[in-house]
Short mmCIF file of all heavy atoms in Angstrom, two decimals:
data_model
loop_
_atom_site.label_atom_id
_atom_site.label_comp_id
_atom_site.label_asym_id
_atom_site.label_seq_id
_atom_site.Cartn_x
_atom_site.Cartn_y
_atom_site.Cartn_z
N MET B 14 10.07 -12.18 -10.09
CA MET B 14 10.71 -11.80 -8.85
C MET B 14 11.31 -10.40 -9.00
O MET B 14 11.90 -10.08 -10.02
CB MET B 14 11.80 -12.81 -8.50
CG MET B 14 12.48 -12.54 -7.22
SD MET B 14 13.57 -13.92 -6.80
CE MET B 14 14.02 -13.44 -5.19
N MET B 15 11.11 -9.60 -7.99
CA MET B 15 11.60 -8.22 -8.03
C MET B 15 13.06 -8.15 -7.64
O MET B 15 13.53 -8.93 -6.81
CB MET B 15 10.82 -7.37 -7.04
CG MET B 15 9.46 -7.02 -7.47
SD MET B 15 8.79 -5.78 -6.34
CE MET B 15 7.20 -6.50 -6.07
N GLY B 16 13.73 -7.19 -8.23
CA GLY B 16 15.10 -6.91 -7.85
C GLY B 16 15.12 -6.06 -6.58
O GLY B 16 14.08 -5.58 -6.11
N TYR B 17 16.29 -5.85 -6.04
CA TYR B 17 16.45 -5.11 -4.78
C TYR B 17 15.88 -3.71 -4.88
O TYR B 17 15.11 -3.29 -4.02
CB TYR B 17 17.94 -5.06 -4.40
CG TYR B 17 18.18 -4.21 -3.18
CD1 TYR B 17 17.95 -4.72 -1.91
CD2 TYR B 17 18.60 -2.89 -3.30
CE1 TYR B 17 18.15 -3.95 -0.79
CE2 TYR B 17 18.80 -2.11 -2.18
CZ TYR B 17 18.58 -2.64 -0.92
OH TYR B 17 18.77 -1.86 0.18
N ARG B 18 16.23 -2.97 -5.92
CA ARG B 18 15.76 -1.58 -6.05
C ARG B 18 14.25 -1.51 -6.22
O ARG B 18 13.60 -0.64 -5.65
CB ARG B 18 16.45 -0.89 -7.22
CG ARG B 18 17.91 -0.60 -6.95
CD ARG B 18 18.52 0.13 -8.14
NE ARG B 18 19.93 0.17 -8.05
CZ ARG B 18 20.62 1.20 -7.55
NH1 ARG B 18 19.98 2.26 -7.10
NH2 ARG B 18 21.92 1.17 -7.51
N GLN B 19 13.70 -2.43 -6.98
CA GLN B 19 12.26 -2.43 -7.18
C GLN B 19 11.54 -2.76 -5.87
O GLN B 19 10.51 -2.17 -5.55
CB GLN B 19 11.87 -3.39 -8.30
CG GLN B 19 10.43 -3.24 -8.72
CD GLN B 19 10.07 -4.11 -9.91
OE1 GLN B 19 10.73 -5.10 -10.19
NE2 GLN B 19 9.02 -3.73 -10.60
N MET B 20 12.07 -3.69 -5.11
CA MET B 20 11.48 -4.04 -3.81
C MET B 20 11.55 -2.84 -2.86
O MET B 20 10.60 -2.55 -2.14
CB MET B 20 12.19 -5.25 -3.19
CG MET B 20 11.63 -5.65 -1.84
SD MET B 20 9.89 -6.14 -1.85
CE MET B 20 10.06 -7.80 -2.45
N HIS B 21 12.67 -2.15 -2.87
CA HIS B 21 12.82 -0.95 -2.04
C HIS B 21 11.78 0.09 -2.43
O HIS B 21 11.13 0.68 -1.56
CB HIS B 21 14.23 -0.37 -2.17
CG HIS B 21 14.41 0.88 -1.38
ND1 HIS B 21 14.25 2.13 -1.94
CD2 HIS B 21 14.73 1.07 -0.08
CE1 HIS B 21 14.46 3.04 -1.01
NE2 HIS B 21 14.75 2.43 0.12
N GLN B 22 11.60 0.31 -3.71
CA GLN B 22 10.62 1.29 -4.17
C GLN B 22 9.21 0.87 -3.79
O GLN B 22 8.39 1.70 -3.39
CB GLN B 22 10.72 1.51 -5.68
CG GLN B 22 9.84 2.63 -6.18
CD GLN B 22 10.18 3.97 -5.56
OE1 GLN B 22 11.34 4.38 -5.54
NE2 GLN B 22 9.19 4.66 -5.02
N LEU B 23 8.91 -0.43 -3.89
CA LEU B 23 7.61 -0.93 -3.47
C LEU B 23 7.37 -0.63 -1.99
O LEU B 23 6.31 -0.14 -1.61
CB LEU B 23 7.50 -2.44 -3.73
CG LEU B 23 6.28 -3.14 -3.12
CD1 LEU B 23 4.98 -2.58 -3.68
CD2 LEU B 23 6.37 -4.64 -3.33
N CYS B 24 8.36 -0.91 -1.16
CA CYS B 24 8.22 -0.64 0.27
C CYS B 24 7.96 0.85 0.51
O CYS B 24 7.11 1.22 1.34
CB CYS B 24 9.46 -1.09 1.03
SG CYS B 24 9.65 -2.88 1.08
N CYS B 25 8.65 1.71 -0.20
CA CYS B 25 8.44 3.15 -0.07
C CYS B 25 7.04 3.54 -0.52
O CYS B 25 6.36 4.33 0.15
CB CYS B 25 9.48 3.92 -0.87
SG CYS B 25 11.15 3.79 -0.21
N ASP B 26 6.59 2.99 -1.64
CA ASP B 26 5.26 3.31 -2.15
C ASP B 26 4.17 2.86 -1.19
O ASP B 26 3.20 3.57 -0.93
CB ASP B 26 5.03 2.66 -3.52
CG ASP B 26 5.83 3.32 -4.63
OD1 ASP B 26 6.32 4.46 -4.44
OD2 ASP B 26 5.97 2.68 -5.70
N VAL B 27 4.32 1.66 -0.63
CA VAL B 27 3.32 1.14 0.29
C VAL B 27 3.34 1.94 1.59
O VAL B 27 2.30 2.24 2.17
CB VAL B 27 3.52 -0.37 0.53
CG1 VAL B 27 2.65 -0.88 1.65
CG2 VAL B 27 3.23 -1.14 -0.76
N TRP B 28 4.52 2.34 2.05
CA TRP B 28 4.60 3.17 3.25
C TRP B 28 3.88 4.49 3.01
O TRP B 28 3.12 4.97 3.86
CB TRP B 28 6.05 3.43 3.64
CG TRP B 28 6.15 4.53 4.65
CD1 TRP B 28 6.69 5.76 4.48
CD2 TRP B 28 5.65 4.53 6.00
NE1 TRP B 28 6.57 6.51 5.62
CE2 TRP B 28 5.93 5.78 6.58
CE3 TRP B 28 5.00 3.59 6.78
CZ2 TRP B 28 5.59 6.11 7.88
CZ3 TRP B 28 4.64 3.92 8.08
CH2 TRP B 28 4.95 5.17 8.61
N LYS B 29 4.09 5.11 1.85
CA LYS B 29 3.42 6.37 1.54
C LYS B 29 1.91 6.18 1.49
O LYS B 29 1.16 7.06 1.92
CB LYS B 29 3.93 6.93 0.21
CG LYS B 29 5.36 7.42 0.29
CD LYS B 29 5.86 7.82 -1.09
CE LYS B 29 7.35 8.09 -1.06
NZ LYS B 29 7.88 8.29 -2.42
N LEU B 30 1.46 5.04 0.99
CA LEU B 30 0.03 4.73 0.96
C LEU B 30 -0.52 4.68 2.38
O LEU B 30 -1.55 5.29 2.69
CB LEU B 30 -0.18 3.39 0.25
CG LEU B 30 -1.62 2.90 0.09
CD1 LEU B 30 -2.37 3.78 -0.89
CD2 LEU B 30 -1.62 1.46 -0.38
N TYR B 31 0.16 3.97 3.25
CA TYR B 31 -0.25 3.88 4.66
C TYR B 31 -0.27 5.27 5.30
O TYR B 31 -1.23 5.66 5.95
CB TYR B 31 0.69 2.94 5.41
CG TYR B 31 0.36 2.84 6.88
CD1 TYR B 31 -0.68 2.04 7.32
CD2 TYR B 31 1.09 3.55 7.82
CE1 TYR B 31 -0.99 1.94 8.68
CE2 TYR B 31 0.79 3.46 9.16
CZ TYR B 31 -0.25 2.66 9.59
OH TYR B 31 -0.55 2.58 10.92
N GLN B 32 0.80 5.99 5.10
CA GLN B 32 0.94 7.31 5.71
C GLN B 32 -0.17 8.26 5.22
O GLN B 32 -0.73 9.01 6.01
CB GLN B 32 2.32 7.88 5.36
CG GLN B 32 2.66 9.18 6.02
CD GLN B 32 4.04 9.63 5.63
OE1 GLN B 32 4.52 9.39 4.53
NE2 GLN B 32 4.72 10.30 6.55
N LYS B 33 -0.48 8.20 3.94
CA LYS B 33 -1.49 9.10 3.36
C LYS B 33 -2.88 8.82 3.91
O LYS B 33 -3.65 9.74 4.15
CB LYS B 33 -1.49 8.95 1.85
CG LYS B 33 -2.49 9.85 1.15
CD LYS B 33 -2.39 9.72 -0.35
CE LYS B 33 -3.39 10.64 -1.03
NZ LYS B 33 -3.27 10.56 -2.49
N PHE B 34 -3.20 7.56 4.12
CA PHE B 34 -4.57 7.20 4.50
C PHE B 34 -4.75 6.88 5.98
O PHE B 34 -5.86 6.58 6.40
CB PHE B 34 -5.08 6.06 3.62
CG PHE B 34 -5.32 6.52 2.22
CD1 PHE B 34 -4.39 6.29 1.22
CD2 PHE B 34 -6.47 7.22 1.89
CE1 PHE B 34 -4.61 6.73 -0.07
CE2 PHE B 34 -6.70 7.67 0.61
CZ PHE B 34 -5.76 7.43 -0.38
N PHE B 35 -3.70 6.94 6.77
CA PHE B 35 -3.83 6.69 8.19
C PHE B 35 -4.74 7.76 8.79
O PHE B 35 -4.49 8.95 8.64
CB PHE B 35 -2.46 6.69 8.88
CG PHE B 35 -2.53 6.40 10.35
CD1 PHE B 35 -2.76 5.10 10.78
CD2 PHE B 35 -2.38 7.40 11.28
CE1 PHE B 35 -2.83 4.81 12.14
CE2 PHE B 35 -2.44 7.11 12.63
CZ PHE B 35 -2.68 5.82 13.06
N GLN B 36 -5.79 7.34 9.43
CA GLN B 36 -6.78 8.22 10.05
C GLN B 36 -7.38 9.21 9.05
O GLN B 36 -7.66 10.36 9.38
CB GLN B 36 -6.18 8.96 11.24
CG GLN B 36 -5.78 8.03 12.36
CD GLN B 36 -5.24 8.75 13.56
OE1 GLN B 36 -4.77 9.87 13.46
NE2 GLN B 36 -5.29 8.12 14.71
N GLN B 37 -7.55 8.76 7.83
CA GLN B 37 -8.17 9.58 6.78
C GLN B 37 -9.36 8.85 6.21
O GLN B 37 -9.58 7.67 6.47
CB GLN B 37 -7.16 9.86 5.66
CG GLN B 37 -5.94 10.63 6.08
CD GLN B 37 -6.27 12.05 6.51
OE1 GLN B 37 -7.11 12.71 5.91
NE2 GLN B 37 -5.62 12.51 7.56
N ASP B 38 -10.09 9.54 5.37
CA ASP B 38 -11.21 8.95 4.66
C ASP B 38 -10.66 7.89 3.70
O ASP B 38 -9.79 8.19 2.88
CB ASP B 38 -11.96 10.04 3.90
CG ASP B 38 -13.22 9.53 3.25
OD1 ASP B 38 -13.59 8.35 3.48
OD2 ASP B 38 -13.84 10.31 2.53
N LEU B 39 -11.16 6.68 3.81
CA LEU B 39 -10.62 5.58 3.01
C LEU B 39 -11.27 5.43 1.64
O LEU B 39 -10.95 4.50 0.92
CB LEU B 39 -10.74 4.27 3.80
CG LEU B 39 -9.97 4.23 5.12
CD1 LEU B 39 -10.18 2.89 5.79
CD2 LEU B 39 -8.50 4.50 4.88
N GLU B 40 -12.14 6.35 1.25
CA GLU B 40 -12.81 6.23 -0.04
C GLU B 40 -11.83 6.25 -1.21
O GLU B 40 -12.03 5.55 -2.20
CB GLU B 40 -13.84 7.35 -0.22
CG GLU B 40 -15.07 7.18 0.64
CD GLU B 40 -16.09 8.27 0.40
OE1 GLU B 40 -16.07 8.89 -0.67
OE2 GLU B 40 -16.91 8.48 1.30
N LEU B 41 -10.79 7.02 -1.12
CA LEU B 41 -9.81 7.12 -2.21
C LEU B 41 -8.72 6.06 -2.12
O LEU B 41 -7.89 5.95 -3.02
CB LEU B 41 -9.18 8.51 -2.22
CG LEU B 41 -10.17 9.67 -2.39
CD1 LEU B 41 -9.44 11.00 -2.27
CD2 LEU B 41 -10.90 9.56 -3.71
N PHE B 42 -8.72 5.29 -1.04
CA PHE B 42 -7.68 4.28 -0.84
C PHE B 42 -7.63 3.27 -1.97
O PHE B 42 -6.55 2.94 -2.47
CB PHE B 42 -7.88 3.56 0.50
CG PHE B 42 -6.89 2.45 0.72
CD1 PHE B 42 -5.63 2.73 1.22
CD2 PHE B 42 -7.20 1.14 0.40
CE1 PHE B 42 -4.71 1.72 1.41
CE2 PHE B 42 -6.29 0.12 0.59
CZ PHE B 42 -5.04 0.42 1.09
N ALA B 43 -8.78 2.78 -2.40
CA ALA B 43 -8.82 1.73 -3.43
C ALA B 43 -8.15 2.20 -4.72
O ALA B 43 -7.39 1.44 -5.33
CB ALA B 43 -10.25 1.30 -3.69
N ASP B 44 -8.41 3.43 -5.12
CA ASP B 44 -7.79 3.94 -6.34
C ASP B 44 -6.27 4.02 -6.20
O ASP B 44 -5.52 3.64 -7.10
CB ASP B 44 -8.34 5.32 -6.70
CG ASP B 44 -9.78 5.26 -7.19
OD1 ASP B 44 -10.19 4.20 -7.72
OD2 ASP B 44 -10.48 6.27 -7.06
N ALA B 45 -5.82 4.53 -5.06
CA ALA B 45 -4.38 4.64 -4.82
C ALA B 45 -3.73 3.26 -4.76
O ALA B 45 -2.64 3.05 -5.31
CB ALA B 45 -4.12 5.42 -3.54
N ALA B 46 -4.40 2.32 -4.11
CA ALA B 46 -3.87 0.96 -4.01
C ALA B 46 -3.81 0.30 -5.38
O ALA B 46 -2.83 -0.39 -5.71
CB ALA B 46 -4.73 0.14 -3.06
N ASP B 47 -4.84 0.50 -6.20
CA ASP B 47 -4.84 -0.06 -7.56
C ASP B 47 -3.69 0.48 -8.40
O ASP B 47 -3.07 -0.26 -9.16
CB ASP B 47 -6.17 0.23 -8.26
CG ASP B 47 -7.30 -0.63 -7.76
OD1 ASP B 47 -7.03 -1.67 -7.11
OD2 ASP B 47 -8.47 -0.26 -8.02
N LYS B 48 -3.39 1.75 -8.25
CA LYS B 48 -2.29 2.35 -9.01
C LYS B 48 -0.96 1.70 -8.64
O LYS B 48 -0.13 1.43 -9.51
CB LYS B 48 -2.24 3.86 -8.78
CG LYS B 48 -3.35 4.59 -9.49
CD LYS B 48 -3.28 6.08 -9.23
CE LYS B 48 -4.47 6.77 -9.89
NZ LYS B 48 -4.48 8.21 -9.61
N ILE B 49 -0.76 1.45 -7.35
CA ILE B 49 0.48 0.79 -6.92
C ILE B 49 0.52 -0.64 -7.45
O ILE B 49 1.54 -1.09 -7.96
CB ILE B 49 0.63 0.83 -5.40
CG1 ILE B 49 0.82 2.28 -4.93
CG2 ILE B 49 1.79 -0.04 -4.94
CD1 ILE B 49 0.82 2.45 -3.43
N ALA B 50 -0.59 -1.36 -7.35
CA ALA B 50 -0.64 -2.75 -7.86
C ALA B 50 -0.34 -2.78 -9.35
O ALA B 50 0.42 -3.64 -9.81
CB ALA B 50 -2.01 -3.36 -7.57
N GLU B 51 -0.89 -1.86 -10.09
CA GLU B 51 -0.63 -1.80 -11.54
C GLU B 51 0.83 -1.44 -11.81
O GLU B 51 1.43 -1.98 -12.74
CB GLU B 51 -1.56 -0.79 -12.20
CG GLU B 51 -3.00 -1.27 -12.25
CD GLU B 51 -3.96 -0.20 -12.74
OE1 GLU B 51 -3.51 0.87 -13.21
OE2 GLU B 51 -5.18 -0.44 -12.65
N LYS B 52 1.39 -0.53 -11.03
CA LYS B 52 2.79 -0.13 -11.20
C LYS B 52 3.72 -1.34 -11.11
O LYS B 52 4.70 -1.44 -11.84
CB LYS B 52 3.16 0.90 -10.14
CG LYS B 52 4.60 1.37 -10.21
CD LYS B 52 4.87 2.43 -9.15
CE LYS B 52 6.31 2.88 -9.16
NZ LYS B 52 6.57 3.94 -8.17
N TYR B 53 3.38 -2.27 -10.22
CA TYR B 53 4.20 -3.46 -10.02
C TYR B 53 3.61 -4.69 -10.70
O TYR B 53 3.93 -5.82 -10.36
CB TYR B 53 4.43 -3.69 -8.52
CG TYR B 53 5.23 -2.57 -7.93
CD1 TYR B 53 4.61 -1.50 -7.29
CD2 TYR B 53 6.61 -2.52 -8.08
CE1 TYR B 53 5.33 -0.44 -6.79
CE2 TYR B 53 7.35 -1.47 -7.59
CZ TYR B 53 6.70 -0.43 -6.95
OH TYR B 53 7.44 0.63 -6.47
N LYS B 54 2.75 -4.43 -11.69
CA LYS B 54 2.18 -5.49 -12.54
C LYS B 54 1.52 -6.59 -11.71
O LYS B 54 1.64 -7.77 -12.01
CB LYS B 54 3.23 -6.05 -13.48
CG LYS B 54 3.79 -5.01 -14.44
CD LYS B 54 4.88 -5.59 -15.30
CE LYS B 54 5.35 -4.64 -16.36
NZ LYS B 54 6.10 -3.50 -15.95
N HIS B 55 0.85 -6.18 -10.65
CA HIS B 55 0.11 -7.10 -9.76
C HIS B 55 1.00 -8.23 -9.23
O HIS B 55 0.53 -9.36 -9.06
CB HIS B 55 -1.14 -7.63 -10.45
CG HIS B 55 -2.12 -6.54 -10.76
ND1 HIS B 55 -3.03 -6.09 -9.85
CD2 HIS B 55 -2.30 -5.79 -11.88
CE1 HIS B 55 -3.74 -5.13 -10.39
NE2 HIS B 55 -3.31 -4.91 -11.61
N ASP B 56 2.26 -7.91 -8.98
CA ASP B 56 3.18 -8.88 -8.38
C ASP B 56 2.57 -9.36 -7.06
O ASP B 56 2.03 -8.55 -6.29
CB ASP B 56 4.53 -8.20 -8.13
CG ASP B 56 5.56 -9.17 -7.60
OD1 ASP B 56 5.53 -9.46 -6.39
OD2 ASP B 56 6.38 -9.66 -8.39
N PRO B 57 2.64 -10.66 -6.77
CA PRO B 57 2.05 -11.18 -5.53
C PRO B 57 2.57 -10.50 -4.26
O PRO B 57 1.80 -10.26 -3.32
CB PRO B 57 2.42 -12.66 -5.54
CG PRO B 57 2.61 -12.99 -6.98
CD PRO B 57 3.17 -11.74 -7.60
N VAL B 58 3.84 -10.16 -4.23
CA VAL B 58 4.39 -9.49 -3.05
C VAL B 58 3.75 -8.11 -2.90
O VAL B 58 3.36 -7.72 -1.80
CB VAL B 58 5.93 -9.37 -3.14
CG1 VAL B 58 6.48 -8.51 -2.02
CG2 VAL B 58 6.58 -10.74 -3.12
N ALA B 59 3.63 -7.39 -4.00
CA ALA B 59 3.01 -6.06 -3.94
C ALA B 59 1.57 -6.16 -3.46
O ALA B 59 1.14 -5.39 -2.59
CB ALA B 59 3.07 -5.40 -5.32
N GLU B 60 0.83 -7.10 -4.00
CA GLU B 60 -0.57 -7.23 -3.62
C GLU B 60 -0.72 -7.63 -2.15
O GLU B 60 -1.61 -7.15 -1.46
CB GLU B 60 -1.27 -8.21 -4.54
CG GLU B 60 -1.42 -7.61 -5.94
CD GLU B 60 -2.31 -8.41 -6.86
OE1 GLU B 60 -2.64 -9.57 -6.54
OE2 GLU B 60 -2.66 -7.86 -7.91
N LYS B 61 0.17 -8.48 -1.65
CA LYS B 61 0.12 -8.87 -0.23
C LYS B 61 0.44 -7.68 0.68
O LYS B 61 -0.18 -7.51 1.73
CB LYS B 61 1.07 -10.02 0.04
CG LYS B 61 0.58 -11.34 -0.52
CD LYS B 61 1.58 -12.45 -0.30
CE LYS B 61 1.11 -13.73 -0.99
NZ LYS B 61 2.10 -14.80 -0.87
N MET B 62 1.41 -6.87 0.26
CA MET B 62 1.76 -5.70 1.07
C MET B 62 0.62 -4.69 1.08
O MET B 62 0.30 -4.12 2.13
CB MET B 62 3.05 -5.07 0.55
CG MET B 62 4.28 -5.92 0.80
SD MET B 62 5.78 -5.21 0.13
CE MET B 62 6.09 -3.91 1.31
N ILE B 63 -0.01 -4.48 -0.06
CA ILE B 63 -1.13 -3.56 -0.14
C ILE B 63 -2.29 -4.07 0.71
O ILE B 63 -2.93 -3.31 1.45
CB ILE B 63 -1.56 -3.35 -1.60
CG1 ILE B 63 -0.45 -2.61 -2.37
CG2 ILE B 63 -2.88 -2.59 -1.69
CD1 ILE B 63 -0.62 -2.64 -3.87
N LEU B 64 -2.55 -5.36 0.63
CA LEU B 64 -3.62 -5.95 1.43
C LEU B 64 -3.33 -5.80 2.92
O LEU B 64 -4.23 -5.49 3.71
CB LEU B 64 -3.80 -7.43 1.07
CG LEU B 64 -4.88 -8.18 1.84
CD1 LEU B 64 -6.25 -7.54 1.64
CD2 LEU B 64 -4.91 -9.64 1.43
N ALA B 65 -2.09 -5.99 3.32
CA ALA B 65 -1.72 -5.83 4.72
C ALA B 65 -1.98 -4.40 5.20
O ALA B 65 -2.49 -4.18 6.30
CB ALA B 65 -0.26 -6.21 4.93
N VAL B 66 -1.65 -3.43 4.36
CA VAL B 66 -1.91 -2.03 4.70
C VAL B 66 -3.41 -1.79 4.80
O VAL B 66 -3.90 -1.15 5.73
CB VAL B 66 -1.26 -1.07 3.68
CG1 VAL B 66 -1.77 0.34 3.84
CG2 VAL B 66 0.25 -1.10 3.83
N ALA B 67 -4.17 -2.32 3.84
CA ALA B 67 -5.63 -2.15 3.86
C ALA B 67 -6.22 -2.73 5.15
O ALA B 67 -7.07 -2.10 5.79
CB ALA B 67 -6.25 -2.82 2.64
N GLU B 68 -5.78 -3.91 5.52
CA GLU B 68 -6.29 -4.54 6.74
C GLU B 68 -5.91 -3.74 7.98
O GLU B 68 -6.71 -3.59 8.90
CB GLU B 68 -5.78 -5.97 6.85
CG GLU B 68 -6.41 -6.90 5.82
CD GLU B 68 -5.78 -8.28 5.78
OE1 GLU B 68 -4.70 -8.49 6.38
OE2 GLU B 68 -6.38 -9.15 5.12
N GLU B 69 -4.70 -3.22 8.02
CA GLU B 69 -4.27 -2.42 9.16
C GLU B 69 -5.05 -1.12 9.24
O GLU B 69 -5.47 -0.71 10.33
CB GLU B 69 -2.76 -2.14 9.08
CG GLU B 69 -2.24 -1.32 10.23
CD GLU B 69 -2.38 -1.97 11.59
OE1 GLU B 69 -2.55 -3.20 11.68
OE2 GLU B 69 -2.33 -1.23 12.61
N LEU B 70 -5.27 -0.47 8.11
CA LEU B 70 -6.05 0.76 8.11
C LEU B 70 -7.49 0.50 8.56
O LEU B 70 -8.06 1.27 9.32
CB LEU B 70 -6.04 1.41 6.73
CG LEU B 70 -4.69 2.03 6.31
CD1 LEU B 70 -4.76 2.45 4.85
CD2 LEU B 70 -4.34 3.20 7.20
N GLU B 71 -8.04 -0.60 8.09
CA GLU B 71 -9.40 -0.96 8.50
C GLU B 71 -9.47 -1.23 9.99
O GLU B 71 -10.39 -0.80 10.68
CB GLU B 71 -9.87 -2.18 7.71
CG GLU B 71 -11.30 -2.58 8.01
CD GLU B 71 -11.73 -3.76 7.18
OE1 GLU B 71 -11.87 -3.62 5.96
OE2 GLU B 71 -11.91 -4.85 7.77
N ARG B 72 -8.48 -1.95 10.49
CA ARG B 72 -8.43 -2.27 11.91
C ARG B 72 -8.29 -1.00 12.74
O ARG B 72 -8.99 -0.81 13.74
CB ARG B 72 -7.27 -3.22 12.21
CG ARG B 72 -7.25 -3.74 13.63
CD ARG B 72 -6.08 -4.66 13.87
NE ARG B 72 -4.81 -3.93 13.87
CZ ARG B 72 -4.37 -3.19 14.89
NH1 ARG B 72 -5.11 -3.03 15.96
NH2 ARG B 72 -3.22 -2.58 14.82
N SER B 73 -7.42 -0.09 12.33
CA SER B 73 -7.22 1.14 13.10
C SER B 73 -8.43 2.07 12.99
O SER B 73 -8.68 2.87 13.88
CB SER B 73 -5.94 1.85 12.65
OG SER B 73 -6.07 2.32 11.33
N ASP B 74 -9.17 1.94 11.89
CA ASP B 74 -10.36 2.77 11.70
C ASP B 74 -11.50 2.34 12.61
O ASP B 74 -12.34 3.14 12.99
CB ASP B 74 -10.81 2.72 10.24
CG ASP B 74 -11.88 3.73 9.91
OD1 ASP B 74 -11.73 4.89 10.34
OD2 ASP B 74 -12.85 3.38 9.23
N THR B 75 -11.51 1.07 12.98
CA THR B 75 -12.59 0.55 13.82
C THR B 75 -12.27 0.65 15.30
O THR B 75 -13.11 0.34 16.13
CB THR B 75 -12.93 -0.91 13.46
OG1 THR B 75 -11.77 -1.73 13.66
CG2 THR B 75 -13.43 -1.04 12.04
N HIS B 76 -11.06 1.06 15.64
CA HIS B 76 -10.68 1.18 17.07
C HIS B 76 -10.50 2.62 17.46
O HIS B 76 -10.22 3.48 16.83
CB HIS B 76 -9.38 0.41 17.33
CG HIS B 76 -9.59 -1.06 17.29
ND1 HIS B 76 -9.50 -1.78 16.13
CD2 HIS B 76 -9.90 -1.94 18.27
CE1 HIS B 76 -9.73 -3.05 16.38
NE2 HIS B 76 -9.98 -3.19 17.68
#
């Protein structure tokens, strides 16, 4: 389980991931997402947040 500061940092990292790849080429997204997942040791919360961003980017890319 993550502490408060680590959760806050995760939220910031995931937001930056979304912001960086919104309406951008998604080819580099997987590498950036993997780095965040590794940073948080593949914590389930981190992976779910990254997946949510991936799904949202994919959805916005198709509309």
Side-chain angles (χ1 to χ4, degrees):
M14 183 172 188
M15 285 190 227
Y17 175 80
R18 289 182 192 264
Q19 191 175 22
M20 180 61 80
H21 177 266
Q22 187 60 51
L23 170 62
C24 291
C25 291
D26 288 343
V27 171
W28 166 248
K29 291 174 189 172
L30 181 69
Y31 178 79
Q32 185 179 32
K33 181 177 181 178
F34 289 99
F35 182 74
Q36 296 182 338
Q37 298 294 321
D38 186 6
L39 298 180
E40 288 182 22
L41 301 175
F42 176 83
D44 289 334
D47 285 343
K48 287 179 184 177
I49 294 173
E51 289 173 9
K52 179 178 178 178
Y53 295 96
K54 298 177 174 71
H55 297 275
D56 184 280
V58 172
E60 290 190 347
K61 287 177 185 176
M62 290 178 75
I63 293 166
L64 180 60
V66 167
E68 290 172 348
E69 180 62 19
L70 289 172
E71 183 178 291
R72 187 181 70 77
S73 67
D74 190 45
T75 60
H76 287 88

